Amino acid sequence: MPEIAARPYPYSFAPAGTALVVIDMQRDFIERGGFGEALGNDVSRLAAIVPTVRDLLAWARAHGIRVVHTREGHRPDLADCPPAKRQRGRPALRIGDAGPMGRILVDGQPGNDIVPDLAPCRGETVIVKPGKGAFYATALDEMLRSQRITHLLLAGVTTEVCVQTTMREANDRGYECLLVEDATESYFPEFKQATLAMVHAQGGIVGWTAPFAAVRASLP
Ligand code: C5J
């Protein structure tokens, strides 16, 4: 079985039982004028990982590893957006407000699209999720189980919010998870480093982490 030189110890996986889950690489978080910037963040930090995520996607596709993309997005009537989420943080633009890329964090709006360099290929699953975790109020778990997926490689943004929440949800559901270190990013570098440490501490209490080079080396 292929093995990735990971922390805290090598990660074994069968490509047929593995999915790459790319979380929220959408314009709302990565480009100017979206939700991330409305919350006061410097979005350029996130744009910097796009080339690595693109290479990771190409690697997964070349090896027949299933690819799942997620987007954080709400229904146009915001019926799936709790008022607490909409009110939180006093942002310049709230979820559902009209912004430069359409309505903020609303499914179907230009800002909610995945960035063009990472556009899903035909046949790849796109999960639209109302929460931070990709398992909350979605069919992700049923979909993965029906395809006999047991191992997840995770990438995307932001490391300590949607990526970590999803990884913890997956871990609790029994998936063996590895977070690709340079294919995830945060608006706060210290939060990213803390998340990586939390994941692989205590013998891999949430899972494994490894750089993309180590992932790529596992399947020549
Ligand atoms: C946030 C996310 N940060 N995708 N969403 O609100 O991490």
Side-chain angles (χ1 to χ4, degrees):
M1 204 178 287
E3 214 173 65
I4 298 173
R7 296 189 279 179
Y9 56 89
Y11 173 88
S12 303
F13 69 105
T18 301
L20 169 63
V21 183
V22 180
I23 297 180
D24 299 1
M25 292 299 290
Q26 60 196 78
R27 299 179 67 201
D28 263 319
F29 294 113
I30 293 171
E31 294 185 13
R32 299 204 60 187
F35 188 52
E37 193 176 62
L39 292 171
N41 297 302
D42 170 9
V43 295
S44 63
R45 289 191 52 79
L46 272 49
I49 65 163
V50 169
T52 307
V53 178
R54 189 191 54 214
D55 292 350
L56 175 63
L57 277 165
W59 172 86
R61 288 165 180 152
H63 291 286
I65 291 173
R66 281 175 208 279
V67 175
V68 177
H69 306 259
T70 73
R71 287 191 278 113
E72 184 175 345
H74 293 278
R75 292 169 34 157
D77 63 4
L78 303 187
D80 58 357
C81 180
K85 180 176 181 183
R86 188 157 192 274
Q87 299 305 327
R88 188 81 48 80
R90 302 185 194 152
L93 290 169
R94 292 183 193 282
I95 296 168
D97 287 350
M101 294 190 287
R103 294 180 66 203
I104 298 283
L105 226 57
V106 170
D107 186 21
Q109 298 290 307
N112 210 240
D113 279 345
I114 291 170
V115 295
D117 281 355
L118 308 179
C121 286
R122 189 192 297 265
E124 292 177 352
T125 302
V126 181
I127 299 279
V128 184
K129 61 188 183 57
K132 303 304 180 193
F135 288 84
Y136 169 67
T138 73
L140 179 59
D141 193 34
E142 290 81 347
M143 193 273 290
L144 294 172
R145 288 187 196 284
S146 72
Q147 296 178 347
R148 295 186 160 69
I149 300 293
T150 54
H151 287 58
L152 301 181
L153 306 177
L154 291 112
V157 298
T158 60
T159 314
E160 78 283 8
V161 185
C162 291
V163 176
Q164 181 170 211
T165 304
T166 299
M167 192 166 183
R168 288 178 180 275
E169 288 179 330
N171 185 55
D172 281 349
R173 285 165 175 78
Y175 295 95
E176 303 279 23
C177 299
L178 180 141
L179 176 55
V180 185
E181 295 169 4
D182 42 352
T184 183
E185 194 48 89
S186 168
Y187 299 120
F188 306 92
E190 67 276 24
F191 290 175
K192 172 177 173 175
Q193 291 312 319
T195 301
L196 297 178
M198 277 187 256
V199 163
H200 62 241
Q202 303 182 71
I205 197 149
V206 185
W208 288 257
T209 75
F212 173 52
V215 174
R216 185 172 45 198
S218 69
L219 288 176

